[in-house]
């Protein structure tokens, strides 16, 4: 006869298996909870303001009326093209009336070159203006055989930067005495023949694309 004392029934291997499954399930749930919390931290927004620095400034490319250069009675306001925001924009510079609109194109060309290569004053610099025309550039006397209106530079026009050449061409194009058959004819000290250059709306918006009449004809 078997005794009914306090001995517990024997546990089979299936009982231990159930407990192992329960422990594994609890561990997996804990891991998933941690992963969910970590993922939530990655997309959770914050109301704390973040300092991203100052917003990029926008240069106006326009001079206030109070900053416009005051000219004397014996000067005229000559439009000069400067670089601003990767484009060409005009500013008025005082030029002696006898030089800017005189009968001698060479005198007018030199007077305008002086202005376009001059470093912009502080008021223009604040508005974003600059010049790419080198300070040492000069307008030389024409050569025998040059067509009327030809302007000889101390450097080959094609050796200038695209912006400098565009500034010079567009500045000269504003003066009727410096325009020949609708273009500005420029040459240099070398043996290369002078070429005509146009100041178009594309030239002003993209100074890197200075066009010549022969280029327009090919297009």
């Amino acid at each position: 006869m078997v005794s009914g004392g306090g001995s517990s029934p024997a546990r089979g291997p299936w009982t231990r298996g159930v407990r192992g499954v329960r422990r594994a399930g609890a561990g997996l749930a804990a891991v998933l909870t941690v992963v969910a919390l970590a993922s939530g931290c990655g997309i959770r927004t914050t109301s704390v303001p973040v300092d991203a620095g100052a917003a990029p400034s926008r240069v106006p490319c326009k001079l206030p009326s109070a900053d416009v250069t005051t000219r004397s009675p014996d000067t005229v306001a000559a439009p000069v093209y400067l670089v601003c925001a990767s484009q060409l924009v005009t500013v008025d510079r005082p030029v002696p009336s006898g030089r800017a609109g005189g009968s001698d194109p060479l005198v007018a060309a030199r007077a305008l070159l002086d202005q376009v290569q001059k470093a912009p004053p502080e008021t223009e610099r604040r508005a974003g203006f600059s010049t790419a025309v080198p300070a040492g550039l000069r307008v030389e006397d024409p050569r025998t055989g040059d067509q009327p209106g030809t302007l000889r530079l101390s450097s080959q026009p094609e050796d200038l930067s695209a912006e400098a050449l565009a500034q010079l061409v567009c500045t000269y194009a504003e003066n009727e005495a410096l325009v020949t058959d609708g273009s500005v004819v420029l040459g240099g000290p070398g043996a290369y023949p002078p070429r005509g250059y146009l100041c178009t709306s594309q030239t002003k918006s993209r100074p890197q694309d200075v066009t010549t009449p022969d280029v327009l004809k090919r297009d």
Side-chain angles (χ1 to χ4, degrees), residues 33-156:
T33 300
V34 172
V35 171
L37 291 175
S39 300
C41 292
I43 61 174
R44 193 170 297 168
T45 60
T46 176
S47 59
V48 178
V50 178
D51 183 9
S57 60
R58 297 180 180 179
V59 292
C61 294
K62 184 178 181 181
L63 295 174
S65 57
D67 290 337
V68 175
T69 304
T70 304
R71 60 184 180 88
S72 60
D74 57 345
T75 62
V76 295
V80 170
Y81 281 86
L82 300 179
V83 179
C84 189
S86 301
Q87 300 180 352
L88 295 188
V89 183
T90 57
V91 298
D92 287 338
R93 292 279 180 82
V95 178
S97 55
R99 300 182 64 189
S103 58
D104 190 343
L106 188 60
V107 173
R110 287 171 174 167
L112 292 173
L113 175 60
D114 288 343
Q115 293 299 323
V116 76
Q117 69 187 171
K118 183 182 298 183
E122 183 180 356
T123 53
E124 293 178 356
R125 291 197 305 270
R126 285 202 306 264
F129 291 98
S130 64
T131 183
V133 180
L137 187 66
R138 302 181 308 278
V139 179
E140 307 287 3
D141 295 332
R143 295 180 181 177
T144 302
D146 283 346
Q147 72 178 88
T150 299
L151 300 173
R152 288 276 180 178
L153 304 178
S154 57
S155 299
Q156 288 297 132

Side-chain angles (χ1 to χ4, degrees), residues 180-184 195-198 211-218:
T180 303
D181 295 331
S183 64
V184 176
R195 301 178 64 185
Y197 295 88
L198 298 177
T211 56
T212 58
D214 57 324
V215 170
L216 295 182
K217 290 177 183 177
R218 287 200 301 271

